Amino acid sequence: MATGRTPTNIAVIKYWGKRDEALILPVNDSISVTLDPDHLSATTTVAVSPSFPSDRMWLNGKEISLSGGRFQSCLREIRRRAREFEDEKKGIKIKKEDWEKLHVHIASYNNFPTAAGLASSAAGLACLVFTLGKLMNVKEDYGELSSIARQGSGSACRSIYGGFVKWCMGKKDDGSDSIAVQLADETHWNDLVIIIAVVSSKQKETSSTSGMRDSVETSPLLQYRAQTVVPSRVLKMEEAIKNQDFESFAKLTCADSNQFHAVCLDTTPPIFYMNDTSHRIISLVEKWNHSEGTPQVAYTFDAGPNAVLIARNRKTAALLLQKLLYCFPPQDRDLSSYLVGDKSILGDAGLHSIEDVDALPAPPEMKIPDQKFKGDVSYFICSRLGAGPKVVADENQALIDSVTGLPK
Ligand code: DP6
């Protein structure tokens, strides 16, 4: 058995559009930040036994089918690279050629709600590939692992590293050069604080996969974005990250998120991922950034209404939280479950109880000063940049029972 834990990531230069659907090859490079796995990650245990008649997988305790092409690609590519494994103490020896015949059981769980639309597939698929690689003693080549994870879900290839990550689109038809590379690790720029607003939504969203297919087929803006805008933006973003230049970083991040959503609107039929709450958050941040004369916070939105807000430091993150909690107070008045992750930010913002939230002054950025939108945000997550995948060595934390071979 092997257990691994893999973080999720959020793109600051978005991937939107494939040039090859089967191999998952993108139409442009993308750049992401990896989030702290303590707050947002997938944990996966993979077990192998000659007594397993087939490959099986359980996600958050429920069995799911592995018959999909993407799972099959990941399993096939990892098995191809499997090497001999020996544990003399346990008396286990698996020869290279045995891996083709042996079946695996996979149990995976996310430490955040899958339904919240927070790139759970990125963390999950990257974790599957990383952990299978450990079990099958695959050579540690992170570029190659990223190209296998890519075939599970495009954005998963960026979860193979911590810190700041670039997915290079590559040029080759076989996809061998479409891999992720680390631009800088999580310690490079550790002032940044990330606050995620999980926005309440009843709407069933268009999946990224089908949304981007429609955009590629119908949006003229997507062609212009991929060929002209993103190549220069990626260079500027790499510079901004290298120099810890928050002003450029924030401007590029916001502009790229907005252009991605503009491409969605430019798609036929148009795709709406953001909602009124998302728009209110954008306008709050835009007005604040404008009044300060230089950006304090960057915002970015994926294929859903949740806002990912990146503050330049803890002080700005605390101020941001005050503004957000004024506009979006908790519905059931329970502050401790309304902000999860790094709860210490509440203390920094002077918010020790719900009465402190009630006493907050109206942010000057609001259109109508005393307007509040209780219930429009489900909860907030406070996080930071984090490290890449790790092996969980403690066997007690494995998700599969070593006797039954089934999820615990
Ligand atoms: C908006 O990686 O979920 O989050 O490759 O079809 O599985 P597939 O799509 P997916 O798309 C993510 C799109 C995005 C932007 C990004 O993460 O870069």
Side-chain angles (χ1 to χ4, degrees):
M1 274 195 330
T3 301
R5 188 168 81 148
T6 302
T8 187
N9 73 78
I10 175 86
V12 290
I13 301 291
K14 304 290 184 196
Y15 146 54
W16 195 253
K18 297 180 184 70
R19 62 178 203 279
D20 184 312
E21 287 263 348
L23 288 170
I24 311 197
L25 302 176
V27 293
N28 56 259
D29 293 346
S30 55
I31 295 181
S32 60
V33 295
T34 296
L35 302 183
D36 187 339
D38 281 347
H39 306 139
L40 294 147
S41 59
T43 301
T44 302
T45 298
V46 286
V48 62
S49 164
S51 70
F52 295 163
S54 62
D55 293 335
R56 293 174 72 184
M57 177 162 178
W58 293 262
L59 177 61
N60 297 325
K62 220 180 123 207
E63 182 154 16
I64 59 164
S65 164
L66 277 174
S67 65
R70 291 171 168 211
F71 279 126
Q72 289 302 317
S73 300
C74 291
L75 284 164
R76 183 191 63 237
E77 292 303 312
I78 286 286
R79 275 200 174 101
R80 258 185 43 189
R81 291 163 179 83
R83 298 186 302 181
E84 182 167 301
F85 170 86
E86 186 161 15
D87 184 332
E88 278 183 10
K89 260 198 247 142
K90 289 188 180 161
I92 303 171
K93 185 169 177 173
I94 304 174
K95 291 206 275 319
K96 187 176 160 52
E97 56 274 21
D98 293 342
W99 286 113
E100 289 296 334
K101 292 169 272 165
L102 286 166
H103 292 290
V104 288
H105 281 185
I106 305 160
S108 188
Y109 100 101
N110 299 321
N111 65 353
F112 56 95
T114 313
L118 290 166
S120 52
S121 68
L125 266 308
C127 202
L128 172 71
V129 168
F130 174 78
T131 315
L132 275 172
K134 289 289 167 200
L135 178 81
M136 299 190 180
N137 196 22
V138 169
K139 194 168 108 235
E140 264 204 25
D141 176 337
Y142 279 53
E144 193 157 273
L145 282 184
S146 81
S147 84
I148 301 172
R150 188 200 75 227
Q151 297 174 57
S153 179
S155 53
C157 75
R158 298 184 310 237
S159 274
I160 291 291
Y161 305 94
F164 297 88
V165 184
K166 175 178 167 185
W167 173 10
C168 309
M169 62 179 287
K171 285 192 174 64
K172 294 188 186 160
D173 287 342
D174 68 358
S176 56
D177 56 351
S178 188
I179 60 167
V181 295
Q182 188 178 52
L183 297 175
D185 73 16
E186 62 282 7
T187 60
H188 164 70
W189 192 357
N190 53 17
D191 289 346
L192 302 177
V193 177
I194 296 166
I195 294 183
I196 302 171
V198 179
V199 170
S200 321
S201 151
K202 284 167 208 79
Q203 201 185 310
K204 170 92 187 80
E205 279 138 24
T206 313
S207 77
S208 305
T209 308
S210 74
M212 68 176 85
R213 186 181 302 133
D214 290 349
S215 295
V216 168
E217 282 167 10
T218 64
S219 166
L221 179 56
L222 181 135
Q223 307 300 328
Y224 175 67
R225 166 178 165 73
Q227 282 159 21
T228 312
V229 180
V230 175
S232 82
R233 225 172 238 175
V234 161
L235 294 175
K236 288 186 194 136
M237 183 57 98
E238 286 187 61
E239 269 307 293
I241 292 168
K242 197 169 101 201
N243 302 324
Q244 299 176 25
D245 171 357
F246 189 79
E247 180 170 352
S248 304
F249 176 81
K251 284 183 176 163
L252 292 163
T253 298
C254 298
D256 203 69
S257 172
N258 290 332
Q259 188 176 67
F260 152 51
H261 290 277
V263 167
C264 292
L265 276 185
D266 191 44
T267 300
T268 311
I271 310 164
F272 310 103
Y273 284 127
M274 294 194 286
N275 64 17
D276 286 353
T277 310
S278 321
H279 294 147
R280 275 192 193 104
I281 295 173
I282 292 183
S283 127
L284 183 90
V285 172
E286 284 287 352
K287 283 194 192 126
W288 185 25
N289 285 348
H290 182 76
S291 71
E292 295 287 337
T294 180
Q296 305 300 306
V297 173
Y299 55 81
T300 185
F301 295 78
D302 274 349
N306 300 331
V308 178
L309 303 163
I310 309 175
R312 66 188 314 152
N313 55 39
R314 271 193 91 77
K315 212 173 132 210
T316 24
L319 287 171
L320 171 68
L321 192 65
Q322 291 177 346
K323 293 175 197 291
L324 289 169
L325 288 188
Y326 179 91
C327 302
F328 306 102
Q331 200 155 29
D332 57 8
R333 298 187 63 76
D334 174 15
L335 198 52
S336 71
S337 61
Y338 197 48
L339 186 129
V340 300
D342 177 6
K343 286 175 185 280
S344 67
I345 192 77
L346 282 170
D348 291 15
L351 303 171
H352 304 282
S353 69
I354 193 70
E355 286 72 31
D356 295 330
V357 175
D358 293 339
L360 281 169
E365 294 79 19
M366 291 183 68
K367 265 197 209 121
I368 308 169
D370 54 358
Q371 217 177 7
K372 297 194 180 195
F373 300 92
K374 197 184 271 181
D376 286 2
V377 169
S378 303
Y379 61 97
F380 291 97
I381 306 170
C382 181
S383 191
R384 60 177 94 81
L385 261 67
K390 291 222 159 57
V391 170
V392 178
D394 177 4
E395 288 191 9
N396 293 319
Q397 290 190 47
L399 303 176
I400 291 179
D401 184 313
S402 60
V403 177
T404 62
L406 295 170
K408 280 180 182 168

